[in-house]
Amino acid sequence: MKKEINIGYINILAKEVIELLKQINNNKLDKFTWNVIITSLCFDKENIKEAFKIIDNILYPIEENEISKEINKFNNDGSGLLSDITLTNLISACQEFGYINEAIQLFNDMPNRFKIKPNIYHYGNIIKLLVCENRLEEALQKYTELKSNEINYVIYLHLIYGCTNSRQLQIGKELHKDILTSDCSNDIKLKNALINMYAKCGDIESASILFEDMRKHNLLKDVVTWTSMIDGYRKSGQGEKALKLFDELMKEQEKQTLNIKPNATTFLVALNACAECGIASKAIEIIDSMERVYGIRPEIEHYGVLSKALARANSIKDGIKVLVGLEKKGVKTNHVFYTTLISGCTKAREIKFGMQLHERLEMNGIEKTIELMNALINMYIKIGYVDKANAIFKELVKEGRADTVSYNTMLSGFIHLDRRDKVLPLYKSMKESGIPLDRTTYGMVMNVCVSKQLIEEGYEICNEMFSLNMEPAIERYFKLVEALHKNGYEEQANELIEKMNVRKKIIPLFIDRNGKYKFKVIQPIEEDKHSFHKQTTI
């Protein structure tokens, strides 16, 4: 009587597998049984390891052993033990469970080890995997192994996505040439992907040419095409062109000449263009038309971008009206909305509204992200409410959430409000807390050291910048060098000049009537360091 065993839920050790097979299949070690076992092991991450053991130690060992000899008695036709379907399932399982290198190795071993010729489906899967793993060069190598008449639009799509994500414009152009001579040259999804690639890689002209060619041949039948092109103009800094194209789509809708309905993403892209151009009225118009005309209810992301447009256009009152109206409707607003409006209040000096927003976010339990807290610190610092700013900052420090921006904002505030005695202690606290210091941090503190005649401290900070491969702002650097000379630190001043010479050529010229040093800075121009130089006298 056969012993029934649920193969998919046990770990099969290499030495025990023969006995198991004998119980299952009456001592018959045929291909079918092995394929069932390997397939059943593909449904669990840990069991895949057992599948690898069986393949490496039993089915396809490097050196033949007693078990593999016995198996091969039932496999004398020269073909592989594993079927195409089983191997495909195993590769897919490897992809799903994160065994990336194993999946690639299985694919590479198909022709010789497994006696299976990879088909277009196998190539499509492995190219997709390599692209997702940012291994575009290897994906392109697999692409070159295929004959041109074998390649389908799916493979081209994966490769174009890979070029887009890695900003490989030239490779994308070469693939575009191949597509034009292929059977899928008119595929809408491919054309959309190409427009997206050109736009994201900064070649908006090529994206526009392709879009207009599609328009000419009546191929603009997909909202994705329009959205990609609108977003392309926006991302290339041509927000007005983006909105003009968006308006064209809306007019085509009104005329019913195109059966294309804008979707939520289309509106989000258009709103982003409004925000970047600072056109608040247009943003409000778009939000209003979404549900009223197109039946698309704006999400919190749409309102968040609307708040950016209103803040950029200094329409803070309108922004707050939108916020209050949403919350009255029961729409749950978020920290992004508040951060944007508070930053807008700071920029527009609408501090009364900013403080109202602070009260409102406390009342509504809005998540206090680091970005939101930093926006509040910055607002209070800018209006001189240093105690309020400091209270928020100390709360962040206590919670272990204060970051470089938090510290820099407080340092900047103390300098701006002429409370420079607070700067060095805060700087030291920042270092002790392990918060990353950036060029802005060092520059502010170095400037304070010079102004307070703390020359040695300023010298140490400048040296630390050089050790971290940071270049001080040239004006602050010269102030420090000048202070070192004036206070008798000639050696240290010359040392800093030598260190800056690694980056720029600094030539001391003369001392003016006020006792200030003048220097000539000879800075190589990046485009041709050997032929041209830009000279500046400070």
Side-chain angles (χ1 to χ4, degrees):
M1 182 177 176
K2 264 189 195 179
K3 184 178 179 181
E4 292 187 15
I5 300 174
N6 188 342
I7 306 168
Y9 294 95
I10 64 170
N11 289 328
I12 308 171
L13 300 175
K15 291 180 180 178
E16 299 172 351
V17 99
I18 283 288
E19 291 305 316
L20 176 62
L21 288 172
K22 286 178 180 178
Q23 294 176 52
I24 293 172
N25 211 22
N26 294 328
N27 294 328
K28 189 179 180 184
L29 305 172
D30 61 1
K31 291 183 183 181
F32 175 78
T33 308
W34 284 113
N35 280 277
V36 168
I37 291 227
I38 296 296
T39 300
S40 69
L41 292 170
C42 291
F43 298 105
D44 181 87
K45 185 174 183 178
E46 291 304 313
N47 282 342
I48 289 180
K49 295 176 183 177
E50 296 300 324
F52 294 148
K53 283 182 188 177
I54 293 171
I55 290 170
D56 292 337
N57 297 304
I58 300 176
L59 302 185
Y60 298 92
I62 295 172
E63 293 183 8
E64 195 173 43
N65 52 51
E66 289 182 15
I67 299 175
S68 62
K69 283 179 183 177
E70 191 168 348
I71 291 168
N72 283 323
K73 291 177 184 177
F74 297 91
N75 182 46
N76 51 18
D77 60 359
S79 64
L81 281 164
L82 294 184
S83 70
D84 179 354
I85 295 172
T86 300
L87 204 56
T88 300
N89 288 336
L90 184 56
I91 291 173
S92 296
C94 287
Q95 291 173 313
E96 182 182 349
F97 294 122
Y99 294 104
I100 307 304
N101 290 327
E102 287 82 353
I104 294 166
Q105 190 59 53
L106 286 168
F107 175 85
N108 291 339
D109 287 345
M110 284 179 75
N112 298 322
R113 190 182 186 192
F114 300 117
K115 312 297 182 189
I116 296 172
K117 183 182 178 182
N119 57 34
I120 195 67
Y121 178 78
H122 297 124
Y123 272 98
N125 271 353
I126 210 68
I127 286 172
K128 178 184 178 182
L129 171 65
L130 290 166
V131 166
C132 290
E133 292 296 310
N134 296 317
R135 293 162 70 167
L136 181 60
E137 191 175 335
E138 292 174 67
L140 289 165
Q141 181 58 45
K142 300 300 179 193
Y143 167 72
T144 61
E145 294 172 11
L146 292 164
K147 295 177 183 177
S148 58
N149 62 352
E150 293 177 325
I151 304 170
N152 58 25
Y153 84 94
V154 175
I155 287 177
Y156 281 123
L157 267 181
H158 294 321
L159 292 171
I160 293 298
Y161 287 145
C163 292
T164 305
N165 294 334
S166 57
R167 301 298 187 265
Q168 292 289 346
L169 178 60
Q170 196 52 48
I171 295 173
K173 285 184 173 181
E174 292 299 318
L175 286 168
H176 190 182
K177 288 179 185 176
D178 291 352
I179 290 168
L180 290 174
T181 58
S182 73
D183 293 336
C184 39
S185 58
N186 287 323
D187 185 86
I188 300 295
K189 288 182 180 178
L190 261 181
K191 287 182 180 290
N192 289 342
L194 285 165
I195 288 173
N196 189 46
M197 180 200 72
Y198 282 123
K200 285 189 175 175
C201 292
D203 189 354
I204 195 64
E205 185 179 348
S206 293
S208 182
I209 290 169
L210 184 54
F211 180 84
E212 291 305 326
D213 183 66
M214 291 177 73
R215 193 201 293 264
K216 181 181 175 182
H217 291 92
N218 197 29
L219 293 173
L220 293 179
K221 298 176 181 179
D222 188 343
V223 69
V224 176
T225 315
W226 286 85
T227 304
S228 295
M229 195 64 229
I230 294 166
D231 201 33
Y233 279 131
R234 179 188 73 82
K235 285 176 178 171
S236 67
Q238 301 182 60
E240 290 182 2
K241 269 193 174 183
L243 290 172
K244 184 181 176 183
L245 189 60
F246 174 77
D247 286 340
E248 283 182 37
L249 176 59
M250 297 301 102
K251 285 175 184 175
E252 296 289 354
Q253 274 286 301
E254 288 173 15
K255 294 176 186 175
Q256 296 185 342
T257 51
L258 281 176
N259 188 26
I260 301 173
K261 185 179 178 181
N263 58 26
T265 304
T266 313
F267 286 110
L268 190 62
V269 167
L271 285 167
N272 270 303
C274 292
E276 286 163 22
C277 294
I279 308 174
S281 57
K282 181 69 176 176
I284 292 170
E285 179 190 315
I286 289 170
I287 282 283
D288 177 62
S289 67
M290 281 182 69
E291 191 163 11
R292 183 174 55 81
V293 179
Y294 298 98
I296 300 172
R297 186 174 182 179
E299 299 292 336
I300 193 64
E301 291 82 5
H302 296 92
Y303 287 114
V305 179
L306 172 62
S307 71
K308 287 182 186 177
L310 294 169
R312 185 160 291 188
N314 292 333
S315 300
I316 301 303
K317 288 181 183 178
D318 290 330
I320 292 175
K321 280 181 185 177
V322 170
L323 176 70
V324 173
L326 287 172
E327 290 178 344
K328 281 183 177 177
K329 288 179 183 177
V331 176
K332 192 173 181 181
T333 51
N334 63 12
H335 59 89
V336 176
F337 213 117
Y338 277 89
T339 304
T340 304
L341 287 177
I342 287 167
S343 298
C345 288
T346 306
K347 183 183 173 186
R349 294 292 187 267
E350 295 280 7
I351 305 308
K352 178 184 173 184
F353 292 127
M355 294 176 77
Q356 286 176 4
L357 286 166
H358 188 184
E359 289 176 10
R360 194 170 189 88
L361 74 88
E362 295 281 2
M363 181 177 68
N364 291 331
I366 299 297
E367 181 188 359
K368 294 180 179 179
T369 63
I370 186 65
E371 293 81 11
L372 178 53
M373 294 295 98
N374 285 340
L376 285 170
I377 292 171
N378 188 46
M379 180 184 75
Y380 285 121
I381 281 288
K382 290 284 171 66
I383 60 172
Y385 285 24
V386 70
D387 291 337
K388 282 205 169 192
N390 205 24
I392 297 169
F393 174 73
K394 284 183 175 178
E395 185 184 336
L396 289 176
V397 171
K398 185 179 178 182
E399 294 169 354
R401 295 201 297 138
D403 63 3
T404 305
V405 175
S406 315
Y407 277 92
N408 282 355
T409 305
M410 287 304 300
L411 287 168
S412 173
F414 285 138
I415 293 168
H416 176 70
L417 298 170
D418 202 26
R419 295 178 65 171
R420 300 188 174 212
D421 57 309
K422 301 281 187 182
V423 171
L424 278 176
L426 184 58
Y427 164 73
K428 289 174 182 176
S429 170
M430 185 178 181
K431 289 189 77 173
E432 288 168 6
S433 301
I435 306 295
L437 283 70
D438 61 12
R439 191 167 178 258
T440 302
T441 315
Y442 284 114
M444 287 190 293
V445 179
M446 191 169 79
N447 213 30
V448 168
C449 288
V450 172
S451 69
K452 291 177 71 64
Q453 291 296 300
L454 299 170
I455 310 303
E456 291 182 6
E457 288 87 343
Y459 166 74
E460 287 174 8
I461 288 168
C462 193
N463 258 328
E464 191 169 330
M465 288 185 76
F466 282 128
S467 71
L468 295 169
N469 205 26
M470 289 183 192
E471 188 176 294
I474 201 74
E475 294 83 1
R476 286 172 174 168
Y477 163 78
F478 280 127
K479 281 182 182 178
L480 176 62
V481 171
E482 185 178 270
L484 286 166
H485 272 290
K486 280 184 179 179
N487 289 275
Y489 294 94
E490 299 281 340
E491 186 180 335
Q492 288 87 341
N494 290 331
E495 180 193 335
L496 291 184
I497 288 173
E498 287 301 316
K499 286 184 176 179
M500 183 63 100
N501 275 345
V502 175
R503 296 163 174 79
K504 296 179 175 72
K505 187 69 177 173
I506 309 295
I507 304 174
L509 295 178
F510 57 87
I511 303 175
D512 67 11
R513 291 178 183 177
N514 299 315
K516 291 187 175 181
Y517 277 77
K518 291 292 181 181
F519 298 86
K520 180 176 282 186
V521 183
I522 304 178
Q523 180 178 356
I525 295 175
E526 290 299 323
E527 285 75 15
D528 190 346
K529 293 183 180 179
H530 304 292
S531 303
F532 300 96
H533 292 83
K534 181 172 77 176
Q535 297 191 12
T536 309
T537 302
I538 297 179

